[in-house]
């Protein structure tokens, strides 16, 4: 049946259609986002008149957080090794 429009989505000056994609509970957010980007690129190449564009990607935040944790762990382990070395050197 026909449904009245309640929202209008615009990208710049162009009226657009918003489509939200959610992953399943046991799926990897980053893997789903990468697969979605690949499929969108394929679709954009086949149809030049309608272009699909990602507006918000939660996987970018997740990738950034993982990279920050990795770098903090490396930095922390280097500092711990330095402190242990300094203490052991003083004991000898």
């Amino acid at each position: 049946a026909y449904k009245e429009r309640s929202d209008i989505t615009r990208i710049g000056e162009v009226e657009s259609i918003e489509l939200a994609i959610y992953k399943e509970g046991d799926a990897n957010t980053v893997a789903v986002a990468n697969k979605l980007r690949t499929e969108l690129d394929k679709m954009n190449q086949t149809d030049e008149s309608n272009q699909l564009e990602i507006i918000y990607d939660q996987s970018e935040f997740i990738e950034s957080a993982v990279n920050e944790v990795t770098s903090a762990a490396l930095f922390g382990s280097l500092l711990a090794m330095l402190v242990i070395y300094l203490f052991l050197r003083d004991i000898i």
Side-chain angles (χ1 to χ4, degrees):
Y2 176 77
K3 183 179 176 185
E4 287 292 324
R5 202 159 81 163
S6 60
D7 298 320
I8 297 175
T9 303
R10 294 185 187 272
I11 298 176
E13 299 279 327
V14 180
E15 194 169 312
S16 305
I17 297 172
E18 180 181 353
L19 177 65
I21 299 174
Y22 298 97
K23 69 173 184 72
E24 290 290 323
D26 60 341
N28 182 333
T29 302
V30 176
V32 169
N34 290 337
K35 180 70 174 170
L36 181 63
R37 277 190 219 106
T38 304
E39 293 299 319
L40 285 178
D41 289 340
K42 287 180 189 176
M43 293 170 71
N44 284 336
Q45 290 175 358
T46 58
D47 186 10
E48 295 292 327
S49 62
N50 295 318
Q51 291 295 302
L52 300 172
E53 188 177 329
I54 297 176
I55 303 302
Y56 174 72
D57 186 359
Q58 187 177 8
S59 71
E60 292 173 356
F61 170 76
I62 293 170
E63 287 176 326
S64 174
V66 168
N67 289 337
E68 289 292 324
V69 167
T70 303
S71 65
L74 289 173
F75 186 66
S77 64
L78 288 174
L79 283 176
M81 289 183 344
L82 178 66
V83 167
I84 290 172
Y85 174 74
L86 290 174
F87 280 120
L88 289 177
R89 189 168 172 223
D90 286 341
I91 292 173
I92 296 174

